[in-house]
Amino acid sequence: MRLNIQQTEPEAYKAMLALEKYLGSSKLSGTHKELIKMRASQINGCAYCLNMHSRDARKAGETEQRLYLLSAWRETTLFTPEERALLALTEEVTLIGQHVSDATYQQAAALFDAHYLAQAIMAIVTINVWNRIAITTELPLEA
């Protein structure tokens, strides 16, 4: 591990934990939260977060098949329209340099109310920050 941000900058780490607390009290379903975390972590190549959230997803009832096929979600019928909208939004927010298309945003906005959509965006943003912390500091995998 290069740097332990929790020890070096505890106030910054507490701010991140406050985001997690907010998301924990949000109306986002457990499935939606875990799909967002898994898909962003796949895109970012964050082994630490993939390891953690694949376990969390299984505990929340996610199936092995859907986890294995998550990176190819567009090619399956295993994901609901709501999940597909969130996965598309997750990909575009994670790859923000390519911008979030109007089509992707409108698809999500048509399926979710403004509060749920805002919470989903915050979940996507938050896992991207965690991914960047874990990758940059070379956070070791938990057994």
Side-chain angles (χ1 to χ4, degrees):
M1 186 169 181
R2 292 176 174 166
L3 176 69
N4 186 324
I5 290 179
Q6 186 175 5
Q7 289 177 349
T8 307
E9 288 294 330
E11 293 304 312
Y13 198 82
K14 285 179 191 174
M16 287 300 302
L17 291 177
L19 277 172
E20 283 299 325
K21 183 177 178 183
Y22 156 78
L23 291 171
S25 67
S26 74
K27 301 234 188 278
L28 291 175
S29 74
T31 298
H32 288 171
K33 283 186 233 181
E34 294 308 325
L35 289 175
I36 287 167
K37 290 175 181 180
M38 287 292 298
R39 188 64 192 119
S41 297
Q42 286 175 333
I43 293 166
N44 289 323
C46 184
Y48 181 89
C49 292
L50 284 167
N51 188 51
M52 176 193 305
H53 296 299
S54 62
R55 285 193 312 242
D56 292 346
R58 284 185 200 92
K59 286 179 191 172
E62 192 56 75
T63 66
E64 294 290 323
Q65 183 184 28
R66 283 174 31 116
L67 288 175
Y68 296 147
L69 294 172
L70 184 56
S71 64
W73 64 269
R74 283 183 172 85
E75 298 176 36
T76 77
T77 58
L78 297 176
F79 299 93
T80 68
E82 292 80 10
E83 292 166 343
R84 296 172 76 75
L86 288 174
L87 290 168
L89 187 62
T90 298
E91 290 179 356
E92 291 187 22
V93 171
T94 299
L95 301 167
I96 198 69
Q98 299 170 22
H99 300 279
V100 176
S101 70
D102 287 338
T104 295
Y105 183 84
Q106 292 305 327
Q107 179 185 25
L111 292 168
F112 303 109
D113 68 31
H115 293 284
Y116 202 90
L117 182 55
Q119 292 168 7
I121 291 168
M122 289 306 299
I124 297 165
V125 169
T126 301
I127 190 58
N128 273 281
V129 173
W130 284 123
N131 288 166
R132 282 150 177 77
I133 290 169
I135 291 168
T136 303
T137 64
E138 295 183 348
L139 199 59
L141 288 179
E142 296 175 346

